[in-house]
Amino acid sequence: MIIAFIVRRELRTSFTIYLMFLFCSNIIYALGGYPLEVMRQGFPGRWFLSHAACAFYIYQIWVFCPVAMHMHVLITLNRLWAIYFPVSYKNIHSERVAVLMCAGVALYCHVICLPVVVMDLMYYHLPEKQYGCLLNATAQSTFTSVVAVISQFIPVVIVVGAYPFLWYKHLKRKKIGLANPSRRDTIFVTNIDTKLAFRKIEASSSRPFVVLTLLTVSVLVCWTPDQTAWTISCFTAVNDSPGLRYTTSVLFTLQAALDPILFALSLRTFRNMLCRTFRCHKRWGSMPMRQMSIKSLTRRDEP
């Protein structure tokens, strides 16, 4: 997906900025946090690397992971804004606004989560040779509980809680379209710039409902078990079984893998553009590139 964004300028719109930030966050967290997580869980209670590596691992878990999670929140809020307030969305939202919102969310996560990491490393950090690499949540139980709720649980609540409102709007728009076929939000593009056409498509209609459904289900399936098990193990004396912990960790990891698949394969526009990027459509091989882009954008964005 990132390669497609770099190669195809028409893919870089105000909405796909959020996807680019999400995918980049997933890659950074996967490369920085997952290898250390595998080693920590493979050798519980022991840490073979330096203190700096342990500090980086705690930063990844407590600060950068919430950044990736809040990118999902931004995408959900963006769809709510576009569907319920299309006029202000079209007039205000732009690539610059999207970049500023993503940067603001990253700064927000650092302001909320970074102090608990700094306090642990300065005053409460346990010896790594005896306890392994972990944040001493017991020493800051109230602070870490508040941070965990704000940075871990609220994103899940927002993504899942917004689904009924999007579902209601989807049914309402569908009923209006069936009763009045002339009002169906299909845009025919003739001699319009490709980027402008893509913006009109995303501003005039919501994303396909299947994307919202898959995103919500993936959040429920992938995030909820891990967050529940993690909270129980951090703030109570109950120790979950290694098999359960490994299972929830795998589910949590799958979220990062599902993100690009869901967005790339669930939307026809993205799917066609990605196929052209990697030259999957042989029947379009001799068609001029501009004509291919216009032809793709004349189709309704549907699963």
Side-chain angles (χ1 to χ4, degrees):
M1 287 294 293
I2 293 178
I3 293 175
F5 285 137
I6 296 175
V7 174
R8 298 297 183 193
R9 182 64 182 86
E10 63 268 22
L11 279 176
R12 298 196 293 272
T13 67
S14 59
F15 175 73
T16 57
I17 292 294
Y18 301 103
L19 303 183
M20 295 177 67
F21 271 85
L22 174 62
F23 299 152
C24 290
S25 300
N26 285 337
I27 288 179
I28 294 174
Y29 181 67
L31 295 179
Y34 286 157
L36 298 178
E37 177 72 13
V38 170
M39 188 188 72
R40 190 186 73 86
Q41 293 197 26
F43 302 94
R46 289 179 288 177
W47 186 254
F48 303 103
L49 301 180
S50 63
H51 175 71
C54 179
F56 176 74
Y57 168 75
I58 295 176
Y59 166 81
Q60 286 278 321
I61 297 296
W62 279 86
V63 181
F64 206 82
C65 178
V67 172
M69 296 177 70
H70 277 77
M71 291 302 164
H72 281 276
V73 177
L74 271 184
I75 294 173
T76 301
L77 296 179
N78 177 273
R79 291 299 87 200
L80 285 171
W81 184 11
I83 293 176
Y84 280 90
F85 307 99
V87 177
S88 64
Y89 180 84
K90 183 178 180 180
N91 295 332
I92 299 175
H93 197 259
S94 62
E95 294 184 16
R96 181 174 180 271
V97 172
V99 171
L100 291 176
M101 292 180 67
C102 293
V105 164
L107 179 62
Y108 162 79
C109 292
H110 279 76
V111 170
I112 296 297
C113 304
L114 190 58
V116 70
V117 176
V118 174
M119 292 291 292
D120 176 80
L121 295 176
M122 292 180 62
Y123 304 108
Y124 308 112
H125 195 63
L126 298 174
E128 297 161 6
K129 293 183 179 180
Q130 299 179 15
Y131 298 93
C133 180
L134 53 86
L135 186 140
N136 188 4
T138 305
Q140 308 180 75
S141 58
T142 303
F143 193 13
T144 52
S145 298
V146 173
V147 171
V149 170
I150 295 176
S151 63
Q152 306 284 345
F153 290 99
I154 288 183
V156 177
V157 172
I158 293 177
V159 172
V160 177
Y163 181 81
F165 299 96
L166 296 168
W167 173 76
Y168 167 76
K169 192 67 173 180
H170 171 77
L171 292 182
K172 186 176 180 180
R173 290 168 65 92
K174 188 176 180 180
K175 291 180 180 179
I176 293 176
L178 292 175
N180 227 333
S182 61
R183 296 185 61 180
R184 293 181 181 177
D185 45 352
T186 304
I187 297 178
F188 296 93
V189 184
T190 54
N191 295 322
I192 305 177
D193 182 75
T194 303
K195 183 177 179 180
L196 178 60
F198 198 91
R199 283 181 173 176
K200 284 189 175 183
I201 289 177
E202 80 174 23
S204 62
S205 62
S206 63
R207 291 287 133 182
F209 188 63
V210 65
V211 177
L212 301 172
T213 304
L214 292 175
L215 177 61
T216 305
V217 172
S218 66
V219 167
L220 282 173
V221 174
C222 297
W223 285 356
T224 305
D226 182 81
Q227 294 304 312
T228 303
W230 177 81
T231 304
I232 293 175
S233 63
C234 283
F235 304 115
T236 66
V238 178
N239 294 323
D240 51 5
S241 64
L244 176 62
R245 189 57 184 163
Y246 294 151
T247 302
T248 57
S249 298
V250 170
L251 288 175
F252 186 86
T253 307
L254 281 177
Q255 179 66 41
L258 288 175
D259 284 338
I261 297 175
L262 294 179
F263 284 102
L265 301 182
S266 298
L267 299 182
R268 176 176 292 180
T269 301
F270 284 98
R271 187 166 62 247
N272 289 345
M273 288 185 177
L274 284 172
C275 286
R276 289 202 309 276
T277 300
F278 297 103
R279 301 185 183 279
C280 295
H281 285 184
K282 295 181 179 180
R283 61 188 180 87
W284 285 353
S286 59
M287 188 181 298
M289 185 59 61
R290 181 176 179 82
Q291 184 180 354
M292 289 163 55
S293 299
I294 297 300
K295 181 177 180 180
S296 172
L297 291 173
T298 57
R299 300 177 179 177
R300 187 175 180 179
D301 213 7
E302 60 183 10

